[in-house]
Amino acid sequence: MQIQQKHCFSLGCVWVFKSKIFVFYTECFFCDLFFLDTTRSVKASPETAEIFFQKLRNKYEFTILVTLKQAHLNSGVILSIHHLDHRYLELESSGHRNEIRLHYRSGSHRSHTEVFPYILADNKWHRLSLAISASHLILHVDCNKIYERVVEKPFMDLPLGTTFWLGQRNNAHGYFKGIMQDVQLLVMPQGFISQCPDLNRTCPTCNDFHGLVQKIMELQDILAKTSAKLSQAEQRMNKLDQCYCERTCTIKGTTYREFESWTDGCKNCTCMNGTVQCEALICPLSDCPLNSALAYVDGKCCKECQSVCIFEGRTYFEGQRETVYSSSGDCVLFECKDHKMQRIPKDICTALNCPESQQIPLSHSCCKICKGHDFCTEGHNCMEHSVCRNLEDRAVCSCRDGFRALREDSAYCEDIDECAEGRHYCRENTMCVNTPGSFMCICKTGYIRIDDYSCTEHDECITNQHNCDENALCFNTVGGHNCVCKPGYTSHLRKMLSQRYNAAFFPVAFHIRGDDTWYLGPNSWSTSGSEHGI
C-alpha cells in the first residue's frame, strides 16, 4: 500500500493509497487509520523503529492502547514487533474464533500465546488496553477489566533488525480490516488510566451503572451461548465414556503401560499417568548355602549367591583365576570350578613392545602387560553415570561429578540433588535449580546476575543508566525505573506537540517512560519502499 499524496482540509483529511481514496470526516490531525483487505506494507522505517526500540528494549512494564472498529469475521494483527520468525510482541484479534491473542517471547527464549475469548470483530467501536507489568497482565475493553492473569515474563531484549508493523504481521499475513485511531504504547505503571481516567476512581457514577447493566446483559448472552456449547461437549463426552485411552511411558526405546513397573539398574520405576517415577532399589538380605557367597553379577544391581573356592586361605568366586609362581619362576594358572581351584592351561602371551622394567605381572594371567595398559577397552560393567578408569593392573568404575555410588564398586550411580541437600552455593536473590550432575542459580524477577551464584537489583537511577531529563526525577522499580517531572515542569515534547497541533491526542503516538512521548510523524513509516507520514 503506497501513499502517493496527502491533502488536509478544515473539514477532513484525504489519503490516497494506490488510487483508493479514504476520506476522514474529522479534523486532519484526528484522522482515523482505515485498513481495507488489500495489499499493503505499513511499517516503521528502520531508523525510526530503532529509536523507538531503544526506549522499549529490556522494559517490563508497559501498556498497549488502541481505539478501533474491526470488520465482522476479520482476523488481523493490530501491531507486531518481530524479528525474523520470532514475535517479541504481537497483538491480534480473531473474528473467526472470537478471541484476542497476545504473542510474545519469554526469558527462556520460548514463544508463548495468551488467548482471551472476546468478540472484538463486531464492526463496533471499542477501546482496548493491555497492561503488562513483569509477569502480571491486565486486559481492559471499553474501560472494563476483562481478564487478569499471571504469565511468563516477556523478554524485551529486542535484537537489531527488529521490525515494527501496524495493521499487519508482514507483507502477506495478518491484514487488519477496519479503522484504528490513537494507537499508543505507554511504558509506565497502570497505563490504562490514560485511556480510561475513571478507572482511577473508587465510586461509580450513574453512567457507570448503566454501562455495567449493559455489560451484564452481554455477559448473560455469552453465558447462555457458552452453556449451550458445554452441553454439546458434555453429550460428546458421554459418548466417549465407552472408550478407554491410557497414557504410556517410553524410556530407552521401550514402551510401558500405565501402572506397569520395571527395574532400571538400581532403581524401581513405574509408569504413572504418562510420567516415569523411580525410587532406589532396596536389595534383599539373603542367606547363601554352604560353599557359596554373595557377589555382584553383570547386568544386575543386587548381589546374588555364587559358588566359591577356598585357596591358600582366600575366597574365589566361580570363574575367578589366580596365578602361582614356582620356586623356579614358572607360572601356574588356577581357576575356580565346582568349588575347587583347578589348574588350567596358560594363555599364549604376545610379545610386548616395552622394556622389562615397564612390564607388570597380573594376578589373574601368566602374561604380563606394559605399564599404562587400557583395561577399559577390553570391557567393563560401569553403567549409566559411571565411567571406567584404568589402574595399574585392572579397571575400576567411578561415579561422574555430581553423582553418588549406589553400591561399593560404583558401577551404578545416582544424581545428587544439591538444592534439596543444601550442597549448593546460591546466595541471596537467587533460586537453586537442580540439574543432572550439578545445579544452577537463577536470578529472581527484577534482579541481574553478578556471577554464577549471586544476583542484585539493577538500580538504573544510582548507576546513572537512565534516560530521565535533567529536570526529571528518577525512581527505581524492580526491573526498571520511572521518570517524573520535577514540580513546576512538564514534558517538553508533549508541550511542543500540543502547541503545534492544538490537540490533546494524535493519530499514532507512543508514550515511553511516562511523560516521555514519541510521535511517529513524517518519514517515520515506510510503505512499500516509499517513506511518508501517516
Side-chain angles (χ1 to χ4, degrees):
M1 180 173 66
Q2 184 176 5
I3 301 177
Q4 298 177 343
Q5 58 180 329
K6 179 178 75 174
H7 304 287
C8 290
F9 305 93
S10 58
L11 294 180
C13 181
V14 179
W15 297 76
V16 181
F17 300 126
K18 281 190 176 180
S19 301
K20 294 182 181 296
I21 300 178
F22 304 88
V23 181
F24 308 91
Y25 296 101
T26 56
E27 290 295 323
C28 179
F29 299 108
F30 291 83
C31 54
D32 302 334
L33 301 178
F34 277 69
F35 294 99
L36 295 183
D37 195 8
T38 57
T39 302
R40 60 177 186 258
S41 179
V42 182
K43 66 177 180 178
S45 65
E47 296 79 9
T48 301
E50 180 55 29
I51 294 175
F52 171 67
F53 294 150
Q54 288 177 2
K55 297 292 182 178
L56 184 61
R57 194 169 281 128
N58 292 322
K59 302 302 185 298
Y60 303 103
E61 190 162 40
F62 53 86
T63 303
I64 301 172
L65 302 176
V66 61
T67 302
L68 53 80
K69 181 179 180 182
Q70 187 177 8
H72 278 296
L73 299 179
N74 170 247
S75 294
V77 172
I78 297 172
L79 63 83
S80 178
I81 298 175
H82 63 266
H83 181 264
L84 300 178
D85 294 332
H86 302 315
R87 292 182 283 188
Y88 285 86
L89 185 68
E90 181 176 294
L91 184 63
E92 67 170 326
S93 170
S94 173
H96 294 285
R97 294 183 176 271
N98 291 326
E99 60 189 23
I100 302 169
R101 305 187 194 116
L102 173 68
H103 306 279
Y104 68 96
R105 288 175 66 81
S106 64
S108 58
H109 300 286
R110 293 169 51 197
S111 297
H112 298 269
T113 299
E114 287 294 322
V115 178
F116 308 96
Y118 195 85
I119 303 175
L120 201 62
D122 56 0
N123 205 30
K124 297 179 182 178
W125 281 103
H126 295 286
R127 285 184 291 176
L128 174 71
S129 74
L130 184 66
I132 298 174
S133 178
S135 58
H136 188 208
L137 187 150
I138 303 178
L139 175 67
H140 286 85
V141 178
D142 296 328
C143 297
N144 295 292
K145 183 190 293 185
I146 305 301
Y147 293 100
E148 184 171 5
R149 296 180 182 175
V150 175
V151 299
E152 290 280 344
K153 181 179 177 181
F155 182 70
M156 297 305 294
D157 186 8
L158 305 175
L160 293 176
T162 301
T163 56
F164 188 2
W165 297 77
L166 189 65
Q168 60 194 95
R169 179 174 300 121
N170 49 43
N171 287 324
H173 301 94
Y175 280 6
F176 179 91
K177 186 176 181 181
I179 310 172
M180 265 193 265
Q181 63 178 198
D182 198 21
V183 183
Q184 303 177 53
L185 188 57
L186 285 71
V187 182
M188 59 181 293
Q190 297 181 334
F192 52 82
I193 296 177
S194 175
Q195 186 184 69
C196 303
D198 289 345
L199 292 178
N200 206 23
R201 292 184 287 106
T202 57
C203 299
T205 63
C206 294
N207 185 60
D208 295 333
F209 177 77
H210 292 308
L212 181 60
V213 171
Q214 179 64 29
K215 288 301 176 183
I216 291 176
M217 295 176 63
E218 294 176 1
L219 288 174
Q220 288 177 337
D221 182 59
I222 295 174
L223 180 61
K225 294 179 180 177
T226 304
S227 298
K229 292 181 179 179
L230 287 175
S231 178
Q232 295 175 1
E234 186 176 4
Q235 293 176 5
R236 295 184 61 185
M237 290 294 293
N238 291 334
K239 294 179 181 179
L240 294 175
D241 283 344
Q242 57 186 351
C243 301
Y244 175 71
C245 300
E246 65 177 5
R247 302 186 65 179
T248 60
C249 304
T250 301
I251 182 170
K252 297 179 182 179
T254 304
T255 300
Y256 299 93
R257 298 185 62 182
E258 180 83 356
F259 305 121
E260 186 176 358
S261 298
W262 67 97
T263 300
D264 183 8
C266 285
K267 296 179 293 185
N268 281 330
C269 301
T270 304
C271 180
M272 299 291 291
N273 195 28
T275 303
V276 177
Q277 299 182 5
C278 298
E279 58 183 12
L281 178 66
I282 300 177
C283 296
L285 297 176
S286 301
D287 292 330
C288 295
L290 187 65
N291 296 326
S292 65
L294 291 172
Y296 288 119
V297 179
D298 290 345
K300 295 185 178 180
C301 177
C302 297
K303 292 181 178 181
E304 296 182 358
C305 292
Q306 300 291 313
S307 298
V308 296
C309 303
I310 306 299
F311 181 66
E312 294 184 352
R314 296 182 59 186
T315 300
Y316 296 87
F317 288 97
E318 185 80 10
Q320 272 190 293
R321 294 182 177 184
E322 181 65 25
T323 57
V324 177
Y325 288 87
S326 65
S327 57
S328 61
D330 290 336
C331 177
V332 181
L333 186 61
F334 291 89
E335 183 178 343
C336 179
K337 290 184 179 180
D338 299 327
H339 307 293
K340 295 181 180 180
M341 293 297 288
Q342 303 180 20
R343 184 173 178 172
I344 61 174
K346 295 187 294 185
D347 297 328
I348 300 176
C349 302
T350 58
L352 301 178
N353 58 354
C354 60
E356 188 173 354
S357 61
Q358 296 290 319
Q359 295 178 9
I360 300 173
L362 300 175
S363 62
H364 60 278
S365 175
C366 288
C367 297
K368 296 182 179 181
I369 51 98
C370 288
K371 189 175 182 179
H373 182 74
D374 190 353
F375 294 95
C376 292
T377 58
E378 298 174 355
H380 59 82
N381 63 342
C382 303
M383 306 304 288
E384 189 177 11
H385 307 311
S386 177
V387 294
C388 180
R389 302 189 188 278
N390 288 298
L391 298 183
E392 189 175 66
D393 60 347
R394 66 187 186 279
V396 296
C397 297
S398 177
C399 291
R400 299 180 185 273
D401 291 340
F403 295 85
R404 67 163 62 93
L406 288 172
R407 64 187 204 185
E408 55 267 26
D409 63 354
S410 298
Y412 291 87
C413 305
E414 68 174 351
D415 176 48
I416 300 173
D417 191 339
E418 293 85 356
C419 299
E421 298 181 11
R423 301 173 60 177
H424 61 85
Y425 311 104
C426 297
R427 306 186 67 181
E428 61 274 4
N429 305 323
T430 65
M431 295 180 293
C432 180
V433 177
N434 186 59
T435 60
S438 184
F439 65 94
M440 61 189 304
C441 304
I442 306 297
C443 290
K444 294 181 180 179
T445 303
Y447 296 87
I448 60 174
R449 184 172 300 282
I450 299 177
D451 52 37
D452 289 341
Y453 310 107
S454 304
C455 300
T456 185
E457 182 180 355
H458 186 201
D459 193 334
E460 297 96 336
C461 298
I462 294 179
T463 59
N464 204 30
Q465 294 179 326
H466 59 82
N467 58 352
C468 298
D469 186 79
E470 61 181 359
N471 294 317
L473 300 176
C474 178
F475 293 93
N476 185 60
T477 61
V478 177
H481 66 279
N482 289 331
C483 300
V484 178
C485 289
K486 294 180 180 179
Y489 291 89
T490 186
S491 171
H492 63 279
L493 189 56
R494 178 176 293 179
K495 182 178 180 181
M496 179 188 70
L497 292 173
S498 298
Q499 291 175 348
R500 178 176 178 182
Y501 299 116
N502 191 25
F505 301 97
F506 306 95
V508 182
F510 297 92
H511 297 245
I512 306 299
R513 292 291 185 190
D515 288 331
D516 193 2
T517 305
W518 284 80
Y519 171 68
L520 303 184
N523 299 325
S524 296
W525 294 81
S526 64
T527 56
S528 299
S530 301
E531 294 187 356
H532 302 274
I534 288 184

